[in-house]
């Protein structure tokens, strides 16, 4: 009837809001498919058409277009039913051997008909037909359903299924293996249970046995002509065992078809694999099983688990249950040590006679999945004979003997033989490098190997993009700083830029679009509107690969130079513009060996183009992608990056709501070393190296930055690693050391950094390529008001006005700088204990997300977890806790008078009022806070040996000067109101304004003028002039608004 309705449509008529599915085989599959497999494909399509009530609009042997229809019986829209049909087709295609490369697209919209000349049938066209065909043709995931956004919007029953966003963010993929819960639709096979002993409800064994006793079960078998005399003989189960499997355990169900009893079993087969130390792939197999009569049954089968009738379709849960039931592996251990290769999932059905259930034909519904052991070293994996892969036995429902059998791969063997035949020494390859070569040749198809002049040559194409932008009127280029991949931090050579291997037959234009989106997240629209491609250079380089010894490689490099047209455009903020700030970008990358996805975190930074040009001129070539392409690649020493060598990592295990407590168990502060650092910090003979050795050995909390929990390296917020935070913390400690020694070598070390002998570098130590940087360093040294910084250290109580220093106060600052950033390590952040109920807005059971509040929580509630803190006197502990109160203080708001005194200083004042002590002590604690703030920001670059580069090279000096000058004003907050402090600051800034202004303003518009003068940033005289020219009403509005204090019962003088 539906087909007739289509045929009866008038020529040119259209159907509104229809759902169309298009399918096509890939070119390679269409060329190589055998006739029998092609017929099976069309039979499967016909079965789906009948079940889902869909109609073919067009088809040929290797492609087709289908009109979907809603299924009211299942509360499914046309989009639901058509998408589900596409998923089942994709799942079937992947389950074939070999898998059939089928691409599927689904779109919605109008479509129309037309009768073409010399054609008896109607033809169809329109947006839905064209869209579905385009989605199928452009699909990059075989077997997945490629949906348009419009089709996704029309889903109801399937609307909550997880989907993958495509690279262009406008379409989505539904994976073939994604389980559909709730309205599960599969093709009917009329195989419903003959027995109703509980249906799909959860029932107990006793309830099921009571509903269908053993005697009734035997009568049913006799009624259906089952020869019960065969049970209990040889490998056959006894009748009691058969009854238990059907009724008690629900491992199968029975049905009468064509007058004969049939049995249906759903199971999941698990190919559990790992690579042994020699690189051989091995699979876990059950070798044999002890029988009840004392005999031995030889199995030689992979791991498998039967799915209970009430749990049919939930194969992923069955995998978890299998590892728990058979080997006692908890879900936590499974997540840590095992990885499902989901893209290799397969489903098939077949019928066979079972030797354990004689006389009854069995239909096996089999889910097959590969699982990779990603961690063989954990002690729990010893239950499986790992890490050595030795044979073992288990006693779950009888004795089972297990063995790790070697898995042979014909293609791997062919590749090995091919390489050896051409003189390549395979023994020089690591197994991981050989697996990488196999993957790029056969799986990703990113390279080729051919014989040229009797020698094997590997060819690979690379896209490389130099992205530049105008930062502070200087051309800067985007480069990689660090990369965190596969659980560890990778240092990269200087000046490495955007790069990516190109796909087969991919043009450089498409590759540029892909690398900018994949590595930086820049969408195509922003690329078109905000970037200009200046030049393109295509070149070849030939060299022997470091990753694959003896294999000559031709690198065809497409080098593209792009420029950001307007760095001030707000859309570029997330890549660090316009200020040229470092930033991190995270992306998912599929691991070839396991199929799981690894999170790759890359830290990017903007480097002055002149420095790159000088570096490339020095090397006489541009840096290339393969500078670090293999394990033998050059890795810079930490000192070359301006970094100190971090302490050795230490490992701890277990779970706790307060992980830091478990991590620091048994750790103690070396107080002799700690006090030695504090006492000798002004000693001319006490070098920076002596200081570093002391603090590194004294404070155990420093090792928290290098901690590993359950073989997982802790990551910090903001895309940084624990190693980055360690280097930044050392930089902050060095800043304190240098500020206290400004009368010695502190100023020079702060500005120039320290050399290989740990003494302050001199201008002569910088080579010709670093002259631009040297000028900045020298300018900072000359123009900074060092006495103001020294006054800050004095006010904080570390230095004394008459000379010398306070050892205890200095020690407290060193402890503070050691622990102040540990809660930036995400996994260390505590959960509020049930006994505490609430802490600073976080309720019991909640993880404290703010790293400052998280540290305050530990300092106040569990101080013994930080031995260096708990060992200080109560007064010093209070000074440290004050710095981590929720002050809500924004330095920029004060410097530019952006906020009224209430918003700026209310929280600060509230904390001060809650503190005990004299005004003098509170003033000292405020200065202590500002010194900590200054040192923290000074050490923000993860290169402590290079000095305080954040301030010296990257911070506008006039802004820093304003920050430093403002410190002393806020110290008075302990004895003055918020409004008085703010007004004092405004008057003081007016008096030192450059160029100088007229006398201090008076009257109703005075505060407005003083605030506007600071906001104008260098144009103060002009803004005051324009303020006077305003209409009287406008001037009064500004005067009133800018004079509001935000504090009850407070007003400006």
């Amino acid at each position: 009837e539906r087909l007739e309705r289509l045929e009866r449509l008038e020529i040119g008529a259209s159907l509104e809001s229809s759902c169309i599915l298009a399918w096509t085989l890939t070119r390679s599959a269409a060329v190589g498919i055998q006739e029998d497999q092609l017929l099976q494909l069309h039979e499967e399509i016909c079965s789906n058409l009948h079940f889902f009530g869909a109609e073919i609009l067009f088809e040929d042997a290797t492609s087709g277009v289908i009109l979907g229809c809603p299924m009211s019986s299942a509360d499914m829209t046309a989009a639901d039913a058509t998408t589900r049909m596409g998923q089942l087709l994709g799942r079937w295609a992947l389950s074939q051997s070999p898998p059939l490369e089928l691409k599927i697209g689904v779109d919605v919209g109008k479509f129309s008909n037309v009768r073409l000349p010399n054609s008896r049938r109607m033809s169809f066209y329109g947006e839905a037909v064209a869209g579905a065909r385009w989605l199928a043709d452009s699909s990059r995931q075989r077997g997945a359903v490629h949906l348009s956004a419009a089709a996704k919007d029309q889903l109801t029953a399937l609307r909550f299924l997880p989907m993958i966003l495509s690279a262009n963010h406008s379409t989505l993929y539904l994976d073939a293996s994604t389980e559909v819960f709730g309205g599960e639709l599969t093709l009917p096979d009329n195989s419903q249970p003959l027995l109703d002993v509980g249906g799909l409800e959860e029932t107990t064994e006793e309830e099921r046995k009571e509903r269908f006793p053993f005697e009734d079960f035997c009568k049913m078998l006799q009624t259906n002509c089952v020869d019960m005399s065969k049970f209990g003989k040889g490998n056959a189960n006894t009748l009691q065992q058969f009854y238990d499997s059907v009724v008690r355990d629900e491992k199968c169900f029975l049905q009468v078809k064509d007058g004969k009893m049939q049995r249906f079993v759903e199971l999941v087969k698990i190919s559990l694999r790992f690579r042994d130390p020699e690189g051989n792939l091995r699979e876990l197999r059950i070798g044999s099983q002890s029988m009840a009569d004392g005999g031995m049954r030889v199995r030689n089968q992979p791991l498998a688990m039967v799915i209970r009738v009430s749990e049919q379709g939930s194969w992923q849960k069955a995998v978890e249950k299998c590892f728990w039931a058979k080997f006692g592996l908890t879900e936590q251990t499974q997540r840590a040590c095992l990885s499902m290769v989901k893209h290799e999932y397969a489903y098939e059905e077949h019928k066979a006679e079972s030797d354990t259930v004689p006389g009854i034909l069995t239909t096996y519904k089999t889910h097959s999945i590969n699982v990779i052991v990603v961690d063989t070293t954990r002690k729990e994996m010893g239950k499986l004979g790992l890490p050595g892969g030795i044979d073992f036995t288990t006693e779950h429902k009888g004795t089972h003997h297990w063995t790790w059998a070697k898995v042979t791969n014909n293609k791997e063997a062919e590749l090995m033989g091919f390489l050896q035949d051409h003189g390549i020494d395979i023994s020089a390859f690591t197994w991981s490098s050989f697996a990488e070569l196999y993957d790029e040749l056969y799986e990703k198809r990113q390279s080729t190997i051919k014989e040229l002049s009797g020698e094997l040559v590997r060819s690979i194409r690379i896209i490389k993009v130099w992205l530049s932008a105008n930062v502070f009127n200087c051309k800067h280029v985007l480069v990689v700083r660090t990369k965190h991949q596969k659980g560890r931090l990778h240092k990269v050579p200087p000046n490495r830029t955007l790069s990516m291997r190109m796909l087969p037959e991919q043009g450089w234009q498409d590759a540029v679009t892909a690398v900018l989106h994949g590595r930086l997240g820049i969408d195509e629209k922003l690329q078109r509107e905000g970037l200009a491609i200046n030049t393109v250079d295509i070149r070849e380089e030939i060299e022997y690969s470091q990753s694959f010894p003896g294999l000559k490689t031709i690198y065809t490099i497409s080098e593209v130079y792009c420029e950001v047209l307007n760095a001030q455009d707000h859309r570029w903020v997330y890549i660090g513009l316009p200020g040229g700030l470092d930033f991190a970008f995270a992306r998912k990358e599929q691991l070839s060996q396991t199929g799981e996805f690894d999170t790759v975190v890359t830290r990017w930074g903007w480097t002055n183009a002149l420095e790159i040009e000088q570096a490339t001129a020095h090397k006489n070539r541009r840096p290339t992608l393969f500078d670090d392409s293999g394990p033998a690649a050059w890795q810079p020493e930490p000192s070359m990056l301006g970094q100190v060598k971090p302490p050795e990592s230490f490992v701890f295990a277990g779970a706790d709501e307060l992980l830091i407590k478990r991590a620091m168990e048994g750790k103690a502060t070396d107080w002799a070393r700690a006090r030695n650092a504090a006492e000798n910090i002004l000693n001319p003979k006490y070098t920076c190296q002596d200081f570093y050795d002391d603090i590194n050995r004294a404070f155990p909390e420093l090792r928290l930055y290098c901690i590993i929990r359950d073989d997982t390296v802790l990551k910090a917020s903001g895309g940084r690693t624990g190693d980055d935070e360690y280097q930044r913390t050392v930089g902050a400690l060095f800043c304190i050391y240098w500020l206290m020694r400004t009368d010695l070598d502190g100023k020079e070390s702060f500005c120039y950094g320290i050399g290989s002998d740990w003494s302050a570098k001199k201008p002569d130590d910088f080579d010709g390529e670093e002259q631009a940087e040297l000028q900045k360093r020298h300018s900072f040294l000359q123009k900074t008001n060092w006495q103001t910084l020294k006054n800050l250290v004095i006010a904080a109580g570390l230095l004394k006005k008459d000379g010398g220093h306070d050892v205890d106060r200095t020690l407290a600052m060193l402890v503070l700088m050691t622990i102040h950033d540990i809660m930036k390590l995400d996994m260390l952040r505590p959960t509020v204990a049930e006994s505490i109920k609430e802490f600073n807005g976080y309720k019991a059971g909640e993880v404290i997300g703010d790293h400052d509040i998280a540290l305050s929580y530990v300092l106040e509630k569990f101080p013994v977890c930080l031995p260096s803190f708990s060992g200080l006197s109560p007064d010093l502990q209070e000074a440290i806790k004050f710095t981590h109160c929720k002050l809500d203080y924004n330095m920029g708001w004060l410097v530019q008078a952006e906020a009224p005194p209430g918003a700026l200083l209310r929280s600060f004042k509230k904390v001060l009022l809650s503190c005990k002590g004299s005004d003098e002590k509170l003033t000292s604690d405020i200065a202590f806070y500002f010194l900590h703030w200054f040192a923290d920001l000074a050490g923000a670059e993860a290169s402590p040996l290079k000095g305080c580069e954040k301030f010296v090279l990257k911070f506008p000096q006039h802004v820093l000067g304003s920050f430093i000058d403002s410190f002393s004003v806020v110290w008075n907050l302990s004895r003055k109101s918020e409004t008085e402090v703010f007004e004092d600051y405004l008057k003081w800034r007016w008096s030192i304004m450059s160029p100088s202004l007229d006398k201090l303003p008076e009257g109703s518009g005075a505060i407005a003028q003083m605030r506007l003068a600071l906001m104008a940033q260098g144009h103060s005289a002009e803004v005051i002039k324009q303020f006077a020219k305003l209409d009287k009403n406008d001037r009064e509005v500004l005067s009133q608004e800018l004079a509001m204090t935000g504090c009850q019962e407070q007003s400006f003088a």
Side-chain angles (χ1 to χ4, degrees):
E1 292 177 359
R2 284 185 297 271
L3 187 59
E4 290 177 359
R5 182 167 60 90
L6 291 174
E7 291 287 353
R8 288 197 301 268
L9 282 175
E10 296 181 6
I11 302 299
S14 63
L15 290 178
E16 302 285 342
S17 191
S18 300
C19 188
I20 301 294
L21 179 148
W23 64 270
T24 182
L25 296 178
T26 64
R27 185 175 184 277
S28 58
V31 171
I33 192 171
Q34 300 296 316
E35 181 181 345
D36 58 342
Q37 194 174 26
L38 189 61
L39 292 174
Q40 291 174 16
L41 169 62
H42 282 270
E43 289 175 0
E44 186 68 19
I45 291 173
C46 288
S47 298
N48 277 272
L49 291 172
H50 176 72
F51 180 68
F52 286 97
E55 291 295 346
I56 294 175
L57 298 183
F58 159 82
E59 72 172 344
D60 59 22
T62 59
S63 65
V65 176
I66 296 170
L67 172 65
C69 294
M71 296 184 69
S72 56
S73 59
D75 291 329
M76 301 183 87
T77 65
D80 285 319
T82 308
T83 300
R84 180 61 173 157
M85 176 170 60
Q87 188 192 32
L88 293 178
L89 284 174
R91 186 179 295 180
W92 176 87
L94 293 176
S95 71
Q96 302 307 295
S97 182
L100 196 59
E101 294 185 346
L102 183 67
K103 301 196 294 183
I104 301 163
V106 172
D107 198 6
V108 296
K110 297 180 181 179
F111 82 98
S112 304
N113 66 331
V114 63
R115 193 179 300 279
L116 300 176
N118 301 321
S119 175
R120 294 183 178 181
R121 293 201 60 177
M122 199 80 72
S123 296
F124 302 91
Y125 66 99
E127 60 179 1
V129 175
R133 279 181 160 175
W134 178 83
L135 288 163
D137 291 336
S138 63
S139 175
R140 294 186 177 182
Q141 295 198 30
R142 309 294 184 260
V145 183
H146 193 190
L147 293 97
S148 67
K152 172 68 168 62
D153 289 342
Q154 291 193 15
L155 297 180
T156 57
L158 307 184
R159 65 187 181 280
F160 295 122
L161 286 184
M163 296 192 184
I164 302 168
L165 197 61
S166 67
N168 61 19
H169 288 197
S170 61
T171 59
L172 304 101
Y173 289 98
L174 174 61
D175 191 83
S177 62
T178 299
E179 294 187 35
V180 177
F181 298 102
E184 173 83 54
L185 279 178
T186 54
L187 295 188
D189 56 4
N190 300 317
S191 53
Q192 296 302 313
L194 182 66
L195 317 180
D196 183 9
V197 293
L200 298 181
E201 302 174 359
E202 282 293 334
T203 54
T204 66
E205 293 180 7
E206 294 303 320
E207 287 175 335
R208 292 192 291 273
K209 289 162 67 175
E210 184 178 345
R211 290 186 186 184
F212 201 78
F214 178 71
E215 294 76 12
D216 292 349
F217 180 78
C218 293
K219 289 179 181 178
M220 179 198 68
L221 296 180
Q222 287 179 331
T223 301
N224 288 281
C225 303
V226 176
D227 186 354
M228 294 189 293
S229 65
K230 295 181 180 179
F231 285 84
K233 297 178 181 179
N235 290 331
N237 289 332
T238 64
L239 280 171
Q240 184 65 50
Q241 290 173 328
F242 184 34
Y243 169 78
D244 289 343
S245 69
V246 177
V247 178
R248 188 190 69 183
D249 300 332
E250 292 187 304
K251 289 186 175 181
C252 61
F253 64 84
L254 305 176
Q255 180 196 16
V256 175
K257 268 191 171 185
D258 301 326
K260 293 183 179 180
M261 176 77 73
Q262 293 190 22
R263 171 173 167 257
F264 294 84
V265 179
E266 185 172 3
L267 69 155
V268 57
K269 281 187 177 179
I270 306 167
S271 177
L272 182 63
R273 301 179 175 190
F274 87 107
R275 284 197 183 269
D276 63 23
E278 289 75 38
N280 298 312
L281 190 63
R282 293 187 177 273
E283 179 186 61
L284 183 64
R285 301 182 76 85
I286 179 171
S288 58
Q289 176 183 357
S290 299
M291 304 298 291
D293 59 3
M296 187 70 68
R297 178 187 175 196
V298 178
R299 300 282 298 276
N300 190 29
Q301 294 174 342
L303 183 61
M305 180 81 167
V306 174
I307 302 175
R308 289 180 57 195
V309 173
S310 60
E311 297 173 347
Q312 287 188 2
S314 303
W315 64 268
Q316 290 179 321
K317 291 183 179 179
V319 171
E320 293 180 2
K321 285 187 176 181
C322 177
F323 285 114
W324 166 248
K326 295 183 184 293
F327 309 115
L329 299 183
T330 64
E331 288 187 25
Q332 182 182 7
T333 301
Q334 292 180 44
R335 287 195 298 270
C337 300
L338 307 178
S339 175
M340 286 189 191
V341 189
K342 291 187 178 181
H343 67 277
E344 294 182 6
Y345 165 84
Y347 174 80
E348 64 177 351
E349 295 184 11
H350 74 278
K351 297 180 180 180
E353 296 286 348
S354 171
D355 57 353
T356 59
V357 183
I360 300 178
L361 184 66
T362 299
T363 297
Y364 294 94
K365 302 179 176 183
T366 307
H367 306 267
S368 299
I369 187 70
N370 290 344
V371 177
I372 303 296
V373 182
V374 294
D375 185 352
T376 62
T377 60
R378 291 206 12 180
K379 64 179 181 180
E380 295 94 333
M381 302 306 290
K383 300 174 183 177
L384 279 71
L386 297 173
I390 60 176
D391 293 352
F392 63 97
T393 60
T394 59
E395 297 297 333
H396 175 67
K397 295 185 179 180
T399 303
H400 296 75
H401 303 271
W402 302 87
T403 186
W404 288 96
K406 186 183 293 188
V407 178
T408 58
N409 185 319
N410 292 335
K411 281 193 174 182
E412 283 190 2
E414 289 176 8
L415 179 58
M416 284 186 180
F418 183 63
L419 294 173
Q420 289 172 333
D421 290 344
H422 289 82
I424 305 297
D425 184 7
I426 294 297
S427 63
F429 284 46
T430 64
W431 73 262
S432 58
S433 65
F434 179 80
E436 181 184 344
L437 179 62
Y438 176 88
D439 182 59
E440 75 170 37
L441 284 170
Y442 296 111
E443 300 294 335
K444 296 180 178 177
R445 300 178 183 177
Q446 291 177 330
S447 66
T448 59
I449 293 182
K450 295 181 180 180
E451 182 178 350
L452 296 176
S453 303
E455 183 178 19
L456 284 189
V457 176
R458 168 174 165 256
S459 298
I460 190 165
R461 299 166 64 234
I462 294 165
I463 186 69
K464 190 170 186 179
V465 178
W466 296 85
L467 182 62
S468 64
N470 188 320
V471 178
F472 299 130
N473 294 322
C474 293
K475 184 179 179 180
H476 283 63
V477 175
L478 188 64
V479 297
V480 179
R481 301 285 195 221
T482 59
K483 180 186 287 186
H484 193 278
Q485 189 173 21
K486 296 181 181 178
R488 65 187 184 93
L489 180 69
H490 299 264
K491 302 295 184 184
V492 298
N495 304 328
R496 179 175 174 181
T497 188
L498 275 167
S499 57
M500 182 184 73
R501 293 184 181 184
M502 296 173 65
L503 298 173
E505 302 178 3
Q506 187 179 35
W508 68 263
Q509 296 94 334
D510 290 339
V512 169
T513 301
V515 73
L516 287 172
H517 181 266
R519 299 293 191 265
L520 295 175
I522 305 175
D523 60 43
E524 293 184 33
K525 183 175 184 291
L526 184 54
Q527 290 182 40
R528 290 193 304 269
E529 297 176 355
L531 295 178
I533 296 178
N534 295 330
T535 57
V536 180
D537 179 25
I538 300 178
R539 56 191 173 86
E540 285 189 352
E541 293 185 1
I542 301 176
E543 67 174 38
Y544 283 96
S545 171
Q546 295 175 334
S547 301
F548 316 122
L551 187 57
K552 181 180 287 188
T553 301
I554 299 177
Y555 297 90
T556 303
I557 303 171
S558 299
E559 205 160 13
V560 181
Y561 298 84
C562 293
E563 182 178 3
V564 176
L565 295 176
N566 178 15
Q568 304 297 321
D569 189 329
H570 69 90
R571 292 179 295 177
W572 296 116
V573 169
Y574 75 97
I575 63 169
L577 296 176
L581 304 177
D582 286 7
F583 64 94
F585 185 81
R587 58 187 172 87
K588 294 286 189 180
E589 186 172 275
Q590 193 169 21
L591 301 178
S592 58
Q593 295 302 305
T594 66
E596 66 179 352
F597 285 87
D598 177 42
T599 299
V600 181
V601 180
T602 307
R603 188 161 65 90
W604 299 89
W606 293 92
T607 296
N608 194 302
L610 180 61
E611 296 178 16
I612 293 183
E613 291 172 7
Q614 291 170 342
T616 53
H618 177 70
K619 294 179 180 179
N620 202 26
R621 66 173 178 86
R622 284 194 176 92
T624 62
L625 174 74
F626 44 87
D627 285 338
D628 68 339
S629 59
W634 172 78
Q635 296 288 332
E637 290 296 322
S639 59
M640 298 176 68
L641 299 171
Q643 297 181 336
V644 295
K645 184 177 180 180
E648 293 183 3
S649 302
F650 74 94
V651 181
F652 79 102
D656 200 304
E657 65 184 12
L658 193 63
L659 292 178
I660 195 170
K661 177 182 178 182
R662 183 178 294 274
M664 296 305 293
E665 282 179 346
K667 309 296 186 300
T669 302
D670 186 338
W671 288 109
R673 284 278 193 146
R675 293 198 69 84
N676 188 64
E679 289 172 354
N680 288 287
I681 200 165
L682 296 184
N683 187 340
K685 296 182 179 180
Y686 187 68
T687 67
C688 192
Q689 183 177 18
D690 297 330
F691 175 71
Y692 175 67
D693 288 343
D694 278 339
I695 60 173
N696 195 36
R697 294 176 182 273
F699 302 127
E701 293 87 352
L702 283 173
R703 294 189 65 195
L704 288 171
Y705 297 108
C706 307
I707 201 170
I708 297 176
R709 175 175 176 259
D710 294 336
D711 298 335
T712 301
V713 179
L714 296 184
K715 297 179 181 178
S717 56
R720 298 186 183 93
T721 64
D723 182 61
D724 284 337
E725 292 299 341
Y726 174 79
Q727 301 294 337
R728 286 155 55 91
T729 298
V730 172
L733 285 161
F734 281 2
C735 177
I736 298 298
Y737 172 84
W738 293 327
L739 288 178
M740 294 190 69
R741 296 167 63 95
T742 53
D743 293 337
L744 298 170
D745 57 354
K747 297 193 295 288
E748 291 76 12
S749 300
F750 190 104
C751 297
Y752 297 132
I754 53 180
S756 57
D757 60 352
W758 288 78
S759 63
K761 294 177 75 173
K762 300 176 178 60
D764 293 343
D765 295 329
F766 292 82
D767 58 34
E769 297 178 1
E770 301 172 304
Q771 289 306 303
E773 178 185 304
L774 176 60
Q775 289 178 9
K776 288 184 179 181
R777 294 179 183 272
H778 185 70
S779 174
F780 189 92
L781 177 65
Q782 297 299 317
K783 294 181 180 180
T784 296
N785 188 339
W786 294 101
Q787 186 58 48
T788 303
L789 286 174
K790 185 175 181 180
N791 291 341
L792 172 62
V793 183
I794 293 172
L798 277 67
L799 289 176
K800 297 179 179 179
K801 290 182 180 179
D802 55 356
H805 70 295
D806 186 320
V807 173
D808 290 335
R809 194 81 170 171
T810 301
L811 180 58
M813 179 58 72
L814 298 182
V815 170
L816 171 59
M817 300 317 300
T818 296
I819 66 175
H820 79 294
D821 272 348
I822 56 175
M823 289 302 168
K824 286 186 177 178
L825 301 170
D826 296 339
M827 289 173 62
L828 288 182
R829 291 180 190 163
T831 300
V832 178
E834 293 294 334
S835 59
I836 294 176
K837 305 299 183 184
E838 189 271 344
F839 186 86
N840 278 21
Y842 290 92
K843 298 179 181 179
E846 291 182 346
V847 177
I848 301 177
D850 184 295
H851 68 89
D852 285 330
I853 296 178
L855 182 57
S856 294
Y857 175 81
V858 175
L859 297 180
E860 291 188 22
K861 305 298 183 181
F862 304 95
V864 293
C865 294
L866 298 171
S868 300
F869 171 78
S870 61
L872 297 174
S873 67
D875 284 348
L876 296 177
Q877 288 185 9
E878 288 302 317
I880 290 177
K881 287 195 285 188
F882 173 78
T883 65
H884 281 275
C885 292
K886 197 64 177 173
L887 301 177
D888 291 328
Y889 177 68
N890 187 311
M891 192 75 69
W893 285 3
L894 175 65
V895 170
Q896 297 181 176
E898 294 178 5
L904 176 65
L905 300 170
R906 184 189 302 110
S907 295
F908 210 139
K909 183 70 174 180
K910 182 179 179 181
V911 171
L912 288 174
L913 291 175
S914 67
C915 294
K916 299 179 181 179
S918 63
D919 286 347
E920 183 180 356
K921 180 184 181 300
L922 292 178
T923 297
S924 180
D925 285 349
I926 294 173
F928 194 83
Y929 162 79
F930 281 122
L931 179 58
H932 144 265
W933 177 90
F934 181 88
D936 181 27
L937 190 54
E941 296 297 311
S943 50
L945 298 180
K946 291 185 177 182
C948 297
E949 288 191 318
K950 184 67 175 181
F951 284 151
V952 176
L953 298 180
K954 300 187 177 182
F955 213 87
Q957 197 161 3
H958 70 281
V959 175
L960 177 61
S962 299
F963 281 2
I964 297 172
D965 291 339
S966 70
F967 292 160
S968 59
V969 176
V970 185
W971 298 344
N972 297 318
L973 192 59
S974 62
R975 49 182 176 269
K976 291 187 176 183
S977 70
E978 299 95 305
T979 303
E980 289 173 329
V981 168
F982 190 65
E983 187 170 0
D984 287 347
Y985 175 74
L986 294 178
K987 291 177 179 179
W988 169 67
R989 284 297 301 275
W990 183 281
S991 67
I992 64 170
M993 197 73 71
S994 179
S996 60
L997 300 173
D998 294 336
K999 66 177 183 177
L1000 201 66
E1002 298 177 350
S1004 62
I1007 297 299
Q1009 292 180 68
M1010 288 187 282
R1011 289 184 65 182
L1012 288 169
L1014 291 181
M1015 294 178 192
Q1017 300 187 53
H1019 303 281
S1020 305
E1022 181 63 24
V1023 78
I1024 298 303
K1025 179 181 176 182
Q1026 296 301 325
F1027 177 81
K1029 294 181 179 181
L1030 285 175
D1031 177 79
K1032 180 182 177 181
N1033 291 335
D1034 292 339
R1035 191 165 60 248
E1036 287 180 356
V1037 169
L1038 272 180
S1039 298
Q1040 292 173 7
E1041 289 291 330
L1042 293 178
M1044 290 183 177
T1045 65
C1047 299
Q1048 289 185 357
E1049 300 180 1
Q1050 291 186 30
S1051 60
F1052 291 102

